[in-house]
PDB file of all heavy atoms in Angstrom:
ATOM      1  N   ILE T 152      57.083 -22.837  -9.450  1.00 89.00           N
ATOM      2  CA  ILE T 152      55.636 -22.669  -9.591  1.00 89.00           C
ATOM      3  C   ILE T 152      54.898 -23.623  -8.670  1.00 89.00           C
ATOM      4  O   ILE T 152      55.348 -24.758  -8.441  1.00 89.00           O
ATOM      5  CB  ILE T 152      55.223 -22.909 -11.071  1.00 89.00           C
ATOM      6  CG1 ILE T 152      53.772 -22.503 -11.318  1.00 89.00           C
ATOM      7  CG2 ILE T 152      55.484 -24.343 -11.510  1.00 89.00           C
ATOM      8  CD1 ILE T 152      53.410 -22.436 -12.802  1.00 89.00           C
ATOM      9  N   HIS T 153      53.793 -23.146  -8.098  1.00 88.00           N
ATOM     10  CA  HIS T 153      52.897 -24.011  -7.344  1.00 88.00           C
ATOM     11  C   HIS T 153      52.052 -24.778  -8.360  1.00 88.00           C
ATOM     12  O   HIS T 153      51.199 -24.198  -9.033  1.00 88.00           O
ATOM     13  CB  HIS T 153      52.007 -23.185  -6.408  1.00 88.00           C
ATOM     14  CG  HIS T 153      52.764 -22.558  -5.280  1.00 88.00           C
ATOM     15  ND1 HIS T 153      52.163 -21.753  -4.325  1.00 88.00           N
ATOM     16  CD2 HIS T 153      54.072 -22.623  -4.930  1.00 88.00           C
ATOM     17  CE1 HIS T 153      53.068 -21.351  -3.443  1.00 88.00           C
ATOM     18  NE2 HIS T 153      54.235 -21.864  -3.800  1.00 88.00           N
ATOM     19  N   GLU T 154      52.283 -26.074  -8.455  1.00 87.00           N
ATOM     20  CA  GLU T 154      51.670 -26.859  -9.528  1.00 87.00           C
ATOM     21  C   GLU T 154      50.147 -26.897  -9.455  1.00 87.00           C
ATOM     22  O   GLU T 154      49.485 -27.101 -10.472  1.00 87.00           O
ATOM     23  CB  GLU T 154      52.239 -28.278  -9.504  1.00 87.00           C
ATOM     24  CG  GLU T 154      53.722 -28.340  -9.845  1.00 87.00           C
ATOM     25  CD  GLU T 154      54.269 -29.753  -9.878  1.00 87.00           C
ATOM     26  OE1 GLU T 154      53.446 -30.697  -9.914  1.00 87.00           O
ATOM     27  OE2 GLU T 154      55.500 -29.936  -9.881  1.00 87.00           O
ATOM     28  N   GLU T 155      49.585 -26.659  -8.279  1.00 87.00           N
ATOM     29  CA  GLU T 155      48.127 -26.737  -8.167  1.00 87.00           C
ATOM     30  C   GLU T 155      47.420 -25.608  -8.919  1.00 87.00           C
ATOM     31  O   GLU T 155      46.207 -25.687  -9.156  1.00 87.00           O
ATOM     32  CB  GLU T 155      47.709 -26.716  -6.694  1.00 87.00           C
ATOM     33  CG  GLU T 155      48.063 -25.444  -5.926  1.00 87.00           C
ATOM     34  CD  GLU T 155      49.435 -25.519  -5.288  1.00 87.00           C
ATOM     35  OE1 GLU T 155      50.212 -26.421  -5.662  1.00 87.00           O
ATOM     36  OE2 GLU T 155      49.716 -24.676  -4.421  1.00 87.00           O
ATOM     37  N   LEU T 156      48.145 -24.561  -9.316  1.00 88.00           N
ATOM     38  CA  LEU T 156      47.490 -23.478 -10.051  1.00 88.00           C
ATOM     39  C   LEU T 156      47.452 -23.738 -11.560  1.00 88.00           C
ATOM     40  O   LEU T 156      46.724 -23.059 -12.282  1.00 88.00           O
ATOM     41  CB  LEU T 156      48.180 -22.139  -9.769  1.00 88.00           C
ATOM     42  CG  LEU T 156      49.584 -21.885 -10.323  1.00 88.00           C
ATOM     43  CD1 LEU T 156      49.541 -21.369 -11.742  1.00 88.00           C
ATOM     44  CD2 LEU T 156      50.306 -20.893  -9.432  1.00 88.00           C
ATOM     45  N   LEU T 157      48.201 -24.726 -12.034  1.00 92.00           N
ATOM     46  CA  LEU T 157      48.237 -24.992 -13.471  1.00 92.00           C
ATOM     47  C   LEU T 157      46.868 -25.362 -14.046  1.00 92.00           C
ATOM     48  O   LEU T 157      46.529 -24.910 -15.146  1.00 92.00           O
ATOM     49  CB  LEU T 157      49.273 -26.074 -13.777  1.00 92.00           C
ATOM     50  CG  LEU T 157      50.733 -25.677 -13.513  1.00 92.00           C
ATOM     51  CD1 LEU T 157      51.664 -26.849 -13.795  1.00 92.00           C
ATOM     52  CD2 LEU T 157      51.137 -24.473 -14.337  1.00 92.00           C
ATOM     53  N   GLN T 159      44.122 -24.165 -13.192  1.00 90.00           N
ATOM     54  CA  GLN T 159      43.380 -22.907 -13.309  1.00 90.00           C
ATOM     55  C   GLN T 159      43.701 -22.214 -14.628  1.00 90.00           C
ATOM     56  O   GLN T 159      42.806 -21.652 -15.280  1.00 90.00           O
ATOM     57  CB  GLN T 159      43.723 -21.983 -12.141  1.00 90.00           C
ATOM     58  CG  GLN T 159      43.356 -22.527 -10.776  1.00 90.00           C
ATOM     59  CD  GLN T 159      43.753 -21.579  -9.655  1.00 90.00           C
ATOM     60  OE1 GLN T 159      43.707 -20.366  -9.808  1.00 90.00           O
ATOM     61  NE2 GLN T 159      44.154 -22.139  -8.525  1.00 90.00           N
ATOM     62  N   ILE T 160      44.979 -22.263 -15.003  1.00 91.00           N
ATOM     63  CA  ILE T 160      45.361 -21.703 -16.296  1.00 91.00           C
ATOM     64  C   ILE T 160      44.760 -22.529 -17.434  1.00 91.00           C
ATOM     65  O   ILE T 160      44.229 -21.987 -18.410  1.00 91.00           O
ATOM     66  CB  ILE T 160      46.896 -21.653 -16.417  1.00 91.00           C
ATOM     67  CG1 ILE T 160      47.490 -20.734 -15.351  1.00 91.00           C
ATOM     68  CG2 ILE T 160      47.314 -21.194 -17.820  1.00 91.00           C
ATOM     69  CD1 ILE T 160      49.005 -20.691 -15.344  1.00 91.00           C
ATOM     70  N   ARG T 163      41.203 -21.857 -18.437  1.00 91.00           N
ATOM     71  CA  ARG T 163      40.965 -20.579 -19.101  1.00 91.00           C
ATOM     72  C   ARG T 163      41.545 -20.547 -20.511  1.00 91.00           C
ATOM     73  O   ARG T 163      41.539 -19.490 -21.147  1.00 91.00           O
ATOM     74  CB  ARG T 163      41.590 -19.446 -18.265  1.00 91.00           C
ATOM     75  CG  ARG T 163      40.899 -19.192 -16.933  1.00 91.00           C
ATOM     76  CD  ARG T 163      41.741 -18.281 -16.052  1.00 91.00           C
ATOM     77  NE  ARG T 163      41.017 -17.762 -14.903  1.00 91.00           N
ATOM     78  CZ  ARG T 163      40.842 -18.410 -13.767  1.00 91.00           C
ATOM     79  NH1 ARG T 163      41.344 -19.638 -13.624  1.00 91.00           N
ATOM     80  NH2 ARG T 163      40.169 -17.863 -12.772  1.00 91.00           N
ATOM     81  N   VAL T 178      51.382 -14.662 -16.404  1.00 92.00           N
ATOM     82  CA  VAL T 178      51.522 -14.863 -14.961  1.00 92.00           C
ATOM     83  C   VAL T 178      52.978 -14.647 -14.542  1.00 92.00           C
ATOM     84  O   VAL T 178      53.259 -14.013 -13.511  1.00 92.00           O
ATOM     85  CB  VAL T 178      51.046 -16.273 -14.561  1.00 92.00           C
ATOM     86  CG1 VAL T 178      51.300 -16.527 -13.078  1.00 92.00           C
ATOM     87  CG2 VAL T 178      49.569 -16.456 -14.886  1.00 92.00           C
ATOM     88  N   VAL T 182      54.702 -12.009 -11.728  1.00 90.00           N
ATOM     89  CA  VAL T 182      55.648 -12.416 -10.691  1.00 90.00           C
ATOM     90  C   VAL T 182      56.886 -11.529 -10.716  1.00 90.00           C
ATOM     91  O   VAL T 182      57.331 -11.003  -9.690  1.00 90.00           O
ATOM     92  CB  VAL T 182      56.048 -13.900 -10.879  1.00 90.00           C
ATOM     93  CG1 VAL T 182      57.150 -14.289  -9.906  1.00 90.00           C
ATOM     94  CG2 VAL T 182      54.833 -14.799 -10.675  1.00 90.00           C
ATOM     95  N   THR T 189      58.636 -17.173  -7.218  1.00 88.00           N
ATOM     96  CA  THR T 189      57.768 -18.354  -7.255  1.00 88.00           C
ATOM     97  C   THR T 189      56.372 -17.957  -7.711  1.00 88.00           C
ATOM     98  O   THR T 189      55.766 -17.037  -7.162  1.00 88.00           O
ATOM     99  CB  THR T 189      57.688 -19.020  -5.871  1.00 88.00           C
ATOM    100  OG1 THR T 189      59.005 -19.376  -5.442  1.00 88.00           O
ATOM    101  CG2 THR T 189      56.824 -20.274  -5.936  1.00 88.00           C
ATOM    102  N   ILE T 190      55.866 -18.670  -8.735  1.00 88.00           N
ATOM    103  CA  ILE T 190      54.529 -18.384  -9.265  1.00 88.00           C
ATOM    104  C   ILE T 190      53.490 -19.033  -8.364  1.00 88.00           C
ATOM    105  O   ILE T 190      53.515 -20.241  -8.136  1.00 88.00           O
ATOM    106  CB  ILE T 190      54.393 -18.929 -10.698  1.00 88.00           C
ATOM    107  CG1 ILE T 190      55.488 -18.344 -11.599  1.00 88.00           C
ATOM    108  CG2 ILE T 190      53.020 -18.612 -11.275  1.00 88.00           C
ATOM    109  CD1 ILE T 190      55.519 -18.954 -12.997  1.00 88.00           C
ATOM    110  N   THR T 191      52.569 -18.214  -7.859  1.00 86.00           N
ATOM    111  CA  THR T 191      51.538 -18.698  -6.948  1.00 86.00           C
ATOM    112  C   THR T 191      50.151 -18.434  -7.527  1.00 86.00           C
ATOM    113  O   THR T 191      50.005 -17.768  -8.566  1.00 86.00           O
ATOM    114  CB  THR T 191      51.651 -18.004  -5.584  1.00 86.00           C
ATOM    115  OG1 THR T 191      51.349 -16.610  -5.742  1.00 86.00           O
ATOM    116  CG2 THR T 191      53.056 -18.157  -4.999  1.00 86.00           C
ATOM    117  N   ALA T 192      49.140 -18.928  -6.844  1.00 85.00           N
ATOM    118  CA  ALA T 192      47.761 -18.747  -7.301  1.00 85.00           C
ATOM    119  C   ALA T 192      47.369 -17.276  -7.344  1.00 85.00           C
ATOM    120  O   ALA T 192      46.615 -16.844  -8.223  1.00 85.00           O
ATOM    121  CB  ALA T 192      46.809 -19.533  -6.405  1.00 85.00           C
ATOM    122  N   SER T 193      47.870 -16.479  -6.402  1.00 87.00           N
ATOM    123  CA  SER T 193      47.532 -15.047  -6.382  1.00 87.00           C
ATOM    124  C   SER T 193      48.073 -14.350  -7.633  1.00 87.00           C
ATOM    125  O   SER T 193      47.426 -13.454  -8.187  1.00 87.00           O
ATOM    126  CB  SER T 193      48.085 -14.384  -5.125  1.00 87.00           C
ATOM    127  OG  SER T 193      49.501 -14.461  -5.086  1.00 87.00           O
ATOM    128  N   HIS T 194      49.259 -14.760  -8.084  1.00 87.00           N
ATOM    129  CA  HIS T 194      49.802 -14.182  -9.308  1.00 87.00           C
ATOM    130  C   HIS T 194      48.934 -14.571 -10.513  1.00 87.00           C
ATOM    131  O   HIS T 194      48.722 -13.760 -11.424  1.00 87.00           O
ATOM    132  CB  HIS T 194      51.230 -14.681  -9.533  1.00 87.00           C
ATOM    133  CG  HIS T 194      52.196 -14.258  -8.477  1.00 87.00           C
ATOM    134  ND1 HIS T 194      52.985 -15.144  -7.784  1.00 87.00           N
ATOM    135  CD2 HIS T 194      52.475 -13.033  -7.955  1.00 87.00           C
ATOM    136  CE1 HIS T 194      53.733 -14.489  -6.909  1.00 87.00           C
ATOM    137  NE2 HIS T 194      53.435 -13.218  -6.981  1.00 87.00           N
ATOM    138  N   CYS T 195      48.470 -15.796 -10.506  1.00 88.00           N
ATOM    139  CA  CYS T 195      47.613 -16.259 -11.601  1.00 88.00           C
ATOM    140  C   CYS T 195      46.328 -15.438 -11.659  1.00 88.00           C
ATOM    141  O   CYS T 195      45.916 -14.991 -12.730  1.00 88.00           O
ATOM    142  CB  CYS T 195      47.300 -17.742 -11.417  1.00 88.00           C
ATOM    143  SG  CYS T 195      46.216 -18.436 -12.685  1.00 88.00           S
ATOM    144  N   LEU T 196      45.711 -15.228 -10.515  1.00 85.00           N
ATOM    145  CA  LEU T 196      44.469 -14.455 -10.472  1.00 85.00           C
ATOM    146  C   LEU T 196      44.706 -13.021 -10.912  1.00 85.00           C
ATOM    147  O   LEU T 196      43.874 -12.421 -11.611  1.00 85.00           O
ATOM    148  CB  LEU T 196      43.888 -14.489  -9.059  1.00 85.00           C
ATOM    149  CG  LEU T 196      43.368 -15.857  -8.588  1.00 85.00           C
ATOM    150  CD1 LEU T 196      42.944 -15.792  -7.129  1.00 85.00           C
ATOM    151  CD2 LEU T 196      42.209 -16.323  -9.466  1.00 85.00           C
ATOM    152  N   ARG T 197      45.839 -12.458 -10.508  1.00 89.00           N
ATOM    153  CA  ARG T 197      46.163 -11.087 -10.902  1.00 89.00           C
ATOM    154  C   ARG T 197      46.343 -10.986 -12.414  1.00 89.00           C
ATOM    155  O   ARG T 197      45.807 -10.075 -13.063  1.00 89.00           O
ATOM    156  CB  ARG T 197      47.444 -10.636 -10.186  1.00 89.00           C
ATOM    157  CG  ARG T 197      47.993  -9.286 -10.619  1.00 89.00           C
ATOM    158  CD  ARG T 197      47.054  -8.164 -10.290  1.00 89.00           C
ATOM    159  NE  ARG T 197      47.641  -6.872 -10.622  1.00 89.00           N
ATOM    160  CZ  ARG T 197      46.940  -5.796 -10.892  1.00 89.00           C
ATOM    161  NH1 ARG T 197      45.610  -5.826 -10.869  1.00 89.00           N
ATOM    162  NH2 ARG T 197      47.552  -4.656 -11.168  1.00 89.00           N
ATOM    163  N   ALA T 198      47.077 -11.913 -12.996  1.00 88.00           N
ATOM    164  CA  ALA T 198      47.306 -11.897 -14.441  1.00 88.00           C
ATOM    165  C   ALA T 198      46.007 -12.090 -15.209  1.00 88.00           C
ATOM    166  O   ALA T 198      45.754 -11.414 -16.216  1.00 88.00           O
ATOM    167  CB  ALA T 198      48.310 -12.978 -14.816  1.00 88.00           C
ATOM    168  N   CYS T 199      45.175 -12.995 -14.733  1.00 85.00           N
ATOM    169  CA  CYS T 199      43.886 -13.240 -15.404  1.00 85.00           C
ATOM    170  C   CYS T 199      42.973 -12.031 -15.290  1.00 85.00           C
ATOM    171  O   CYS T 199      42.216 -11.716 -16.223  1.00 85.00           O
ATOM    172  CB  CYS T 199      43.218 -14.478 -14.821  1.00 85.00           C
ATOM    173  SG  CYS T 199      44.054 -16.027 -15.238  1.00 85.00           S
TER     174      CYS T 199
END
Side-chain angles (χ1 to χ4, degrees):
I152 190 168
H153 291 179
E154 294 182 15
E155 63 270 15
L156 70 85
L157 293 178
Q159 298 179 34
I160 298 176
R163 291 168 167 83
V178 175
V182 174
T189 302
I190 304 173
T191 66
S193 62
H194 296 126
C195 179
L196 292 174
R197 173 64 176 155
C199 290

